[in-house]
Amino acid sequence: MSRKRPIASAKRTRTARTFDEVPKKSKVVLLSCGSFNPVTNMHLRMFELARDHLEDTGRYEVVKGILSPVGDGYKKIGLIEASHRVEMAKLAVESSSWIEVDSWESRQADWQETVKVLRHQQQELLSQEPDTDVVGTAKPGRKRKRMDASSATKRRKLEEPDIAPKKTGNNWSFPLHSPFAFLLHYAAPLDVSAASSGEPRVMLLCGADVLESFGVPGLWKPQHIEEIASTFGLVCITRGGSDAEAFIQGSDLLLPHRSNIHVVQEWVANDVSATRIRHGLRCGHSVRYLLPDPVLGYIQERQLYNAESEQRNEGVVLAPLQKCARTQE
C-alpha cells in the first residue's frame, strides 16, 4: 500500500514554486529634461509622484532621479544662462537623498534633442565604475552596491582597447572611448534591452505639457517620439486642464506603446509654474514656498529675473524649429 505524501510537504513545494516565479523588479532612473528657469517645488514633486506610482505597481524600483537643465542653445525666450540654472537645480536637490543634477546637456554648445540625452544617460549607467552604487556616491549607513557579473562584463567590454564597432544580431555597439561612440548620441538608437536583466533603465519624466508638445509640428522628430516611447518609456504627470490619456489615444506614434507610458494624476491641485514665478519676481511679489528657499536666495542675491532677462532670445527661433526648417530646405 503506497503512502500518501504529507500535506505539509505539498504546501512547501507549492510555496517554493511560487517564490521562484516572482518576477524581479526593474530598476529605473527617472530623467527630467527641461529649462528649469527656475527650478520649482513642482519640478521636485514630479519625481516623488512618479516614484510612488512606479513602485506601487510592484514591478519597478526607482533608484535615482536626474534633473538635466537644457543648454543655452535651446534659444527659448527668457531663458537665462545655463550656469545659473544648473546651480539653482543643485541647490534645490541638496535636501534629496535620491535626486541629483547632471550638467552634461547644459554644457553642450548646441541644443541636444531629448532622445540623445536619454541615450547618453543610459550609456553612463552601463559604464558605471564597479564599486559605485547607482547614484555614484554611498548613502549614509548604506554599503555601496557592487555590479553583478553581467554588468562587470559589459564594463570590461567598454574598456577594451579595440575601437572597432561590434555587431550583435542586428545591433551595433561601440567601446566607450571609441571615436565611433558619438554615434550612440547622434545616430543609431540605443538598445537598452539589457536593463531587463537587472541593470537600471532610464525613463523620461515629464509633465502633460511636454507630452502634448509631441503634437506640435516640427518640434519633435517622429522617430524620436517613437524611440522614447518604445525603448525608454515615459512617466507623465498630469494636472488640471490637460488630458494625457486622450492625447495618447489619438496619437499613432504613442498608442502602440501605451503599456510603456505611465500617466500619473497629481492628487493635490498645483498650478505652480516657472513662468508664473518669473512674473511674480518681476512684479516684486513674494514667491516664497513656490520654490526651495536656497534657490530663492540665489535668485535674489543675483537679481536674475527682471524685464531685461525676460527679453533674452526675443525674436530668435526656437532651436528645434530651426533644425526642422534646415532639414526641409
Side-chain angles (χ1 to χ4, degrees):
M1 186 175 181
S2 61
R3 297 178 62 186
K4 293 183 179 179
R5 169 183 275 181
I7 295 176
S9 176
K11 285 183 177 179
R12 282 197 298 271
T13 302
R14 287 196 296 271
T15 302
R17 186 182 302 116
T18 301
F19 280 119
D20 289 342
E21 292 171 357
V22 174
K24 287 186 176 180
K25 292 182 180 180
S26 298
K27 294 180 180 179
V28 170
V29 171
L30 293 169
L31 171 68
S32 180
C33 300
S35 300
F36 305 114
N37 188 40
V39 62
T40 72
N41 286 337
M42 187 58 196
H43 289 133
L44 304 179
R45 173 79 179 144
M46 288 171 60
F47 281 94
E48 298 292 335
L49 288 166
R51 181 171 68 166
D52 282 349
H53 173 84
L54 290 178
E55 294 192 344
D56 283 350
T57 67
R59 295 183 290 131
Y60 303 98
E61 177 191 358
V62 178
V63 295
K64 181 165 70 170
I66 301 175
L67 279 168
S68 180
V70 74
D72 293 335
Y74 189 51
K75 302 299 183 184
K76 185 177 182 179
I77 188 169
L79 188 67
I80 68 169
E81 293 88 345
S83 58
H84 287 309
R85 291 182 286 109
V86 169
E87 286 304 313
M88 287 189 288
K90 288 179 178 178
L91 289 171
V93 302
E94 279 184 346
S95 61
S96 175
S97 62
W98 66 283
I99 307 172
E100 64 182 46
V101 177
D102 188 282
S103 63
W104 178 84
E105 181 184 2
S106 68
R107 289 184 282 104
Q108 306 310 302
D110 298 320
W111 167 72
Q112 301 295 304
E113 287 109 324
T114 299
V115 73
K116 294 177 182 175
V117 184
L118 284 162
R119 293 174 192 165
H120 168 80
Q121 293 296 342
Q122 188 67 57
Q123 186 65 14
E124 285 292 297
L125 289 176
L126 294 177
S127 61
Q128 289 250 327
E129 292 293 340
D131 290 326
T132 59
D133 63 11
V134 176
V135 180
T137 57
K139 299 290 179 62
R142 183 179 298 177
K143 292 182 179 180
R144 296 175 183 267
K145 297 180 182 178
R146 285 185 173 273
M147 298 177 86
D148 57 23
S150 173
S151 300
T153 299
K154 287 183 173 63
R155 176 64 182 175
R156 285 194 297 272
K157 288 181 178 180
L158 286 168
E159 293 177 341
E160 288 176 357
D162 182 11
I163 64 171
K166 298 174 177 59
K167 188 175 183 181
T168 305
N170 294 322
N171 299 316
W172 287 94
S173 61
F174 305 88
L176 183 63
H177 301 293
S178 164
F180 298 100
F182 74 95
L183 291 175
L184 287 169
H185 307 303
Y186 298 101
L190 180 64
D191 177 17
V192 296
S193 58
S196 61
S197 64
E199 294 171 354
R201 60 176 291 195
V202 178
M203 295 183 73
L204 181 64
L205 171 62
C206 67
D209 54 339
V210 173
L211 185 78
E212 292 171 355
S213 75
F214 287 169
V216 177
L219 197 60
W220 297 81
K221 294 179 181 178
Q223 62 269 32
H224 286 181
I225 296 174
E226 189 162 15
E227 184 180 344
I228 291 171
S230 63
T231 304
F232 296 98
L234 298 99
V235 182
C236 174
I237 310 298
T238 68
R239 55 184 179 182
S242 63
D243 192 342
E245 287 288 0
F247 183 82
I248 294 169
Q249 292 298 322
S251 170
D252 293 337
L253 292 172
L254 296 178
L255 189 57
H257 311 292
R258 180 64 188 85
S259 61
N260 213 21
I261 303 173
H262 301 264
V263 177
V264 185
Q265 182 68 46
E266 166 60 283
W267 49 273
V268 176
N270 194 330
D271 266 344
V272 174
S273 72
T275 301
R276 291 183 178 183
I277 287 176
R278 293 198 308 274
H279 176 75
L281 288 167
R282 292 197 307 275
C283 294
H285 296 160
S286 172
V287 294
R288 194 175 185 190
Y289 307 122
L290 298 178
L291 67 172
D293 280 349
V295 175
L296 178 57
Y298 185 95
I299 292 171
Q300 292 174 334
E301 182 180 341
R302 292 161 179 80
Q303 300 181 344
L304 292 182
Y305 294 105
N306 48 50
E308 183 180 351
S309 68
E310 198 63 21
Q311 301 306 311
R312 190 177 183 191
N313 293 323
E314 186 177 22
V316 180
V317 178
L318 202 64
L321 300 178
Q322 287 184 30
K323 184 167 287 190
C324 178
R326 287 196 298 268
T327 59
Q328 293 177 351
E329 289 178 353

